[in-house]
Amino acid sequence: MRYRDVGVFLGIAFGLTWLLWVVEQVTGVQILFFAAMMSVAVATFVAARWVWRPSDLPRATSLVPVRPLPRTLRWCALAVGLFLVMGALALALNHVTGVYPADLGHLDWTRGLGPALVQFVLILPLAFCEEWGWRGYLLNRLREGLGTWPALIVIGVIGGLWHLPFYVRPWFAMSPDARASFVPFVIFVVLFGVVLGLLRLASGSIWPAVVAHAVNNTIVFGYLDVLVSPGVEINPWVAALSGWQGWLILIAAAAVLTMAGPLRIHRRMAINKG
């Protein structure tokens, strides 16, 4: 089978995550959040190393090229700036439209953003585990048969569904009804994954996507925790970057990356060859 390795990857990534959920329910030890992200890396290594078996595993899964290093660092810096700006724009849009008035009086470095920076450093290895799988291994494999845009969207849907065990508990649910949070979250993950995928394609490696993923999961979420007025019930369909206003910002970012990135170059090359 041409994509037997993809089936192995998905089986391990989803299977291990649900197994971890069961272990957490039985033991009460909260391991899902961290261990599930690592399960994606385990699935990547097994599927790529022992089933797919490319001749150059680091290049085939976009661990390289990293050199020239200054170029990779510039893309990482761009990824950080992009998600900080998008997060701030989403909160500003929430504030202007009256959805979630920001309370700048609660902007306390020690209360939210300071710990978020510490969490950013700690979560980088876990963000790597996910990005190596979704945007390193799986994006390269699915692009071969589906093309770039279908692969980006399919991976986003897969990634969103992969998070389901977090909502069964629930961990990530923004409202008392986890079902009300899961659908908008999947939509967000699809758009989020498209932006990360475009960063991966534009830079040539997964590292800007890794950094962006960690920024989003810590500092950008930290904005929401710090600036939303206390006592306000959060509606997952409109909240910050993960709500519909944030989706518009993610779509705009994807459009800019598409016009300025490698997809535009590939399109021109195809026209010239034609």
Side-chain angles (χ1 to χ4, degrees), residues 2-3 138-148 150-151:
R2 183 179 178 185
Y3 289 107
L138 194 57
L139 179 56
N140 288 344
R141 292 295 284 137
L142 294 187
R143 283 181 76 202
E144 297 175 3
L146 300 180
T148 297

Side-chain angles (χ1 to χ4, degrees), residues 193-253:
V194 167
V195 173
L196 292 184
L198 292 173
L199 286 170
R200 209 293 285 156
L201 294 172
S203 65
S205 69
I206 64 170
W207 302 109
V210 170
V211 172
H213 196 143
V215 168
N216 178 77
N217 285 19
T218 54
I219 300 174
V220 172
F221 284 172
Y223 280 143
L224 182 64
D225 293 338
V226 172
L227 294 180
V228 172
S229 301
V232 175
E233 184 176 345
I234 295 177
N235 182 341
W237 288 93
V238 296
L241 198 58
S242 59
W244 72 264
Q245 294 174 330
W247 304 343
L248 297 178
I249 294 171
L250 287 165
I251 290 171

Side-chain angles (χ1 to χ4, degrees), residues 259-274:
M259 294 304 297
L263 300 182
R264 184 179 181 184
I265 297 173
H266 295 336
R267 190 158 51 242
R268 284 182 175 178
M269 290 174 63
I271 292 173
N272 292 335
K273 289 180 180 179

Side-chain angles (χ1 to χ4, degrees), residues 106-120 218-227:
H106 290 84
L107 184 57
D108 184 350
W109 177 264
T110 61
R111 180 172 175 264
L113 297 182
L117 285 174
V118 175
Q119 293 170 11
F120 166 75
T218 54
I219 300 174
V220 172
F221 284 172
Y223 280 143
L224 182 64
D225 293 338
V226 172
L227 294 180

Side-chain angles (χ1 to χ4, degrees), residues 168-190:
V168 175
R169 177 157 172 79
W171 271 62
F172 289 162
M174 285 183 161
S175 69
D177 184 357
R179 293 170 297 179
S181 294
F182 185 64
V183 174
F185 178 78
V186 171
I187 297 172
F188 162 72
V189 170
V190 172

